[in-house]
Amino acid sequence: EPEVTQTPSHQVTQMGQEVILRCVPISNHLYFYWYRQILGQKVEFLVSFYNNEISEKSEIFDDQFSVERPDGSNFTLKIRSTKLEDSAMYFCASSVTGGADTQYFGPGTRLTVL
Amino acid sequence: SQQGEEDPQALSIQEGENATMNCSYKTSINNLQWYRQNSGRGLVHLILIRSNEREKHSGRLRVTLDTSKKSSSLLITASRAADTASYFCSHRGDMRFGAGTRLTVKP
């Protein structure tokens, strides 16, 4: 069964460094999402992406964040200058259509900012 | 609030018992979905119920939807220790989740 994959599974970085988290959505999906979950807290929506542009973003998704679909398969989240509070699990998801269609989540990347 | 709100926040039962958790929302919906999250893992889609449906079954899962009350319930029958997880509802494309219901099933 097709699944969303994410790399790396764990990323450790120093405060102020840039990180790129990678996701490979399910191949026939058109909508892509990033979510964040700080340890012990709820899953928070960051951004949705469709047709090579951001369709919606939350207040968390500030200028430090950017997303890109650099080729036909990858979907990336870049954090330009990481802060301690960026430490969290980051989940990618994809869906065939947008709206309230079923989203399929990847296993997540644990980001630790030191 | 734009997100579904689940209750109770935590539920602890014995294996074999049924578990019921509820979700309330404030806006009109096209459909509502339930997801499960095992600790530290990604969310797994469980079941989708459309706004014109009142009840839906999938294996040991039963979901009801009452659009007049803007609420949904998820029933897990004959629970197993492996059902221990957090359960979330969502009705939006941008999936603004609530805090979820933390279900613990004791063997």
Side-chain angles (χ1 to χ4, degrees):
Chain A
E1 185 175 332
E3 56 184 22
V4 176
T5 59
Q6 291 185 242
T7 55
S9 57
H10 190 188
Q11 174 90 47
V12 181
T13 189
Q14 295 290 326
M15 191 170 56
Q17 294 295 304
E18 174 184 287
V19 293
I20 298 176
L21 310 182
R22 291 183 166 77
C23 168
V24 178
I26 295 173
S27 62
N28 64 329
H29 288 190
L30 301 177
Y31 291 77
F32 315 115
Y33 311 84
W34 282 102
Y35 296 85
R36 173 182 88 175
Q37 186 175 34
I38 295 170
L39 185 64
Q41 297 186 25
K42 64 183 182 182
V43 175
E44 300 173 291
F45 167 75
L46 293 178
V47 66
S48 58
F49 190 86
Y50 169 70
N51 199 26
N52 281 320
E53 60 184 31
I54 290 172
S55 47
E56 190 161 357
K57 60 182 181 180
S58 72
E59 56 279 1
I60 303 169
F61 195 88
D62 61 21
D63 292 342
Q64 293 288 84
F65 292 90
S66 62
V67 289
E68 192 178 28
R69 187 148 163 84
D71 52 46
S73 60
N74 290 283
F75 178 51
T76 62
L77 174 69
K78 181 190 291 185
I79 309 174
R80 187 163 54 229
S81 178
T82 50
K83 307 181 187 105
L84 295 176
E85 54 265 37
D86 293 328
S87 294
M89 283 289 285
Y90 288 81
F91 294 105
C92 172
S94 68
S95 64
V96 176
T97 62
D101 187 20
T102 298
Q103 293 186 19
Y104 295 84
F105 283 75
T109 292
R110 178 168 298 284
L111 176 65
T112 302
V113 182
L114 302 176
Chain B
S1 169
Q2 294 179 313
Q3 62 211 21
E5 297 290 347
E6 300 87 0
D7 82 272
Q9 290 187 350
L11 181 60
S12 182
I13 59 175
Q14 293 294 134
E15 207 164 29
E17 294 180 340
N18 295 342
T20 300
M21 51 207 90
N22 305 294
C23 166
S24 60
Y25 56 92
K26 291 188 165 65
T27 64
S28 60
I29 63 170
N30 292 321
N31 60 51
L32 185 140
Q33 307 191 50
W34 284 90
Y35 287 79
R36 182 188 73 217
Q37 185 183 29
N38 291 81
S39 181
R41 308 285 294 275
L43 278 76
V44 174
H45 178 257
L46 294 176
I47 195 165
L48 178 153
I49 186 165
R50 301 193 186 284
S51 60
N52 61 353
E53 297 176 311
R54 292 296 166 259
E55 188 170 313
K56 198 161 182 180
H57 296 255
S58 176
R60 293 184 296 112
L61 305 180
R62 173 179 165 246
V63 169
T64 62
L65 179 64
D66 187 335
T67 53
S68 66
K69 295 180 180 176
K70 290 187 165 57
S71 69
S72 173
S73 67
L74 171 67
L75 168 68
I76 303 174
T77 60
S79 64
R80 304 168 182 165
D83 294 329
T84 295
S86 291
Y87 292 82
F88 302 88
C89 66
S90 183
H91 58 89
R92 290 171 56 100
D94 58 8
M95 296 293 181
R96 294 177 195 254
F97 294 98
T101 292
R102 174 73 191 161
L103 173 65
T104 302
V105 181
K106 300 175 188 173

